[in-house]
């Protein structure tokens, strides 16, 4: 059981991580290179996993943890796909 | 109903990445911004307690769509200009503004989430299915009963559409590998 105080702190932490994702969007738009963007989106994805884990404890929904795991896998796949694509354009996948 | 700080932050992320997807000149940049958008929407679904939709959004939006779009632009040419942002046709802007206005007028007119006056709660149709679904179909989950039994033919049609799309994707991927 999570006490209300702890769950408030966890929710605030989740809010702070989301704020961080907003800041990262600047890097997605500004670039300047494609690698900057890929890494920015990768960090947004990692952020998603952290936010989901925090929410899962704060709201006492253990099923959120499964979703966090799936996101972690997808995030990895996405970054690999984009990186490989930029390295040898067209010759991959 | 004011959004909580978490929801408000997520909405900013979603709006920001959606705008980035629209204004970035380079298509590869757009695809990357789109996957950020998809992750934001998926998070919002989870916050709104629809984890299954969130999971689908992440798998399809961030996973499958990114790879399919990458496959698509692999065969196209990249614009060589140095501009970061795309330019817009005024007609497009007017059309988008009209669409946003129409949505802005429609959405507040909908009943609030969980409102007891919402037609889906007060309607006798919902009550009929709640009362009869288990007796008629033997399925304990009413949503599943409606989806798989009452409108089974419709669901079969949807499954055919998904299967066809899957076959098409496999065919395209095969060609990519052999070419």
């Amino acid at each position: 059981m999570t006490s209300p105080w702890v769950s408030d702190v966890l929710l605030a932490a989740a809010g702070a991580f989301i704020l961080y994702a907003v800041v990262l969007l600047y890097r997605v738009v500004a670039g300047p290179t494609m690698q900057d963007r890929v890494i920015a989106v990768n960090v947004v994805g990692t952020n998603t996993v952290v936010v989901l884990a925090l929410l899962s404890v704060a709201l006492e929904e253990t099923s959120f943890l499964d979703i966090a795991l799936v996101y972690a896998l997808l995030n990895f796949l996405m970054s690999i796909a984009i990186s490989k694509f930029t390295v040898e354009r067209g010759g991959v996948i | 109903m004011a959004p909580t700080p978490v929801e408000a932050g997520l909405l900013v992320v979603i709006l920001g990445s959606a705008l980035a997807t629209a204004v970035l000149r380079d298509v590869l940049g757009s695809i990357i911004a789109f996957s950020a958008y998809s992750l934001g929407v998926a998070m919002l679904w989870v916050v709104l307690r629809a984890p299954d939709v969130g999971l689908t959004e992440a798998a399809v939006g961030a996973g499958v769509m990114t790879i399919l779009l990458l496959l698509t632009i692999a065969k196209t040419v990249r614009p060589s200009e140095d501009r970061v942002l795309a330019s817009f046709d005024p007609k497009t802007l007017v059309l988008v503004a009209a669409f946003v206005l129409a949505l802005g007028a429609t959405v507040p007119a909908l009943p609030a989430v969980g409102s007891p006056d919402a037609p889906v709660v007060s309607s006798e149709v919902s009550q009929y299915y709640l009362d009869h679904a288990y007796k008629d179909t033997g399925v304990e989950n009413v949503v599943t009963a409606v989806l798989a039994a009452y409108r089974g033919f419709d669901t079969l049609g949807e499954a055919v559409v998904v299967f066809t799309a899957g076959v098409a994707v496999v065919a395209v991927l095969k060609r990519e590998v052999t070419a």
Side-chain angles (χ1 to χ4, degrees), chain B residues 90-133:
Chain B
K91 268 184 280 180
T92 316
L93 287 180
V94 170
L95 197 69
V96 169
F99 184 65
V100 168
L101 273 180
L103 271 184
T106 313
V107 172
L110 293 173
V113 176
S115 155
D117 305 325
V120 72
V121 178
S122 55
S123 156
E124 59 190 54
V125 177
S126 309
Q127 199 54 48
Y128 174 85
Y129 285 118
L130 287 177
D131 291 341
H132 292 75

Side-chain angles (χ1 to χ4, degrees), chain B residues 5 60 71 79 81 98 113 172 179:
Chain B
V60 174
L71 282 177
E81 303 152 74
V113 176
V172 170

Side-chain angles (χ1 to χ4, degrees), chain A residues 11 18 22 25 28-29 34 37-38 41 45 48 51-52 55 59 61 64 67 70-71 74 78 81-82 85-86 89-90, chain B residues 6 9-10 12-13 17 20 24 26 28-29 32 35 39 42-43 46-47 49 51 54-55 58-59 62 70 73-74 76 78:
Chain A
L11 277 180
I18 291 172
V22 177
L25 279 185
V28 174
V29 176
M34 224 28 93
R37 297 198 171 106
V38 172
V41 169
T48 311
V51 168
L52 284 177
L55 286 179
L59 306 174
E61 295 259 2
F64 285 10
I67 304 171
V70 172
Y71 284 7
L74 270 176
M78 206 166 64
I82 297 177
F85 176 81
T86 42
R89 186 178 167 78
Chain B
V6 170
L10 279 175
V12 173
V13 174
S17 46
L24 279 178
D26 195 335
L28 185 55
I32 295 172
S35 54
L39 286 174
M43 257 196 286
V46 172
V47 170
R49 306 292 173 100
L55 209 55
L70 282 178
I73 67 165
T76 59
R78 208 165 174 175

Side-chain angles (χ1 to χ4, degrees), chain B residues 25-113:
Chain B
R25 171 93 181 130
D26 195 335
V27 270
L28 185 55
S30 274
I31 292 174
I32 295 172
F34 179 75
S35 54
Y37 164 83
S38 197
L39 286 174
V41 172
M43 257 196 286
L44 188 66
W45 285 128
V46 172
V47 170
L48 293 174
R49 306 292 173 100
D52 49 337
V53 185
L55 209 55
T56 315
E57 171 64 41
V60 174
V64 179
M65 280 298 282
T66 308
I67 290 169
L68 286 182
L69 288 173
L70 282 178
L71 282 177
T72 312
I73 67 165
K75 296 290 177 191
T76 59
V77 188
R78 208 165 174 175
S80 55
E81 303 152 74
D82 285 336
R83 280 185 302 144
V84 175
L85 303 180
S87 57
F88 287 100
D89 189 10
K91 268 184 280 180
T92 316
L93 287 180
V94 170
L95 197 69
V96 169
F99 184 65
V100 168
L101 273 180
L103 271 184
T106 313
V107 172
L110 293 173
V113 176

Side-chain angles (χ1 to χ4, degrees), chain A residues 2 4 6-7 12 15 31-32 37 41 45-46 51 55 57 64-65 73 80 87:
Chain A
T2 320
V6 172
S7 90
R37 297 198 171 106
V41 169
T46 313
V51 168
L55 286 179
V57 181
F64 285 10
L65 285 179
L73 291 172
I80 294 285
V87 170

Side-chain angles (χ1 to χ4, degrees), chain A residues 20-44:
Chain A
Y20 180 43
V22 177
V23 177
L24 279 166
L25 279 185
Y26 168 75
R27 193 44 67 198
V28 174
V29 176
T33 68
M34 224 28 93
Q35 285 78 2
D36 292 319
R37 297 198 171 106
V38 172
I39 291 190
V41 169
N42 199 345
V43 179
V44 170

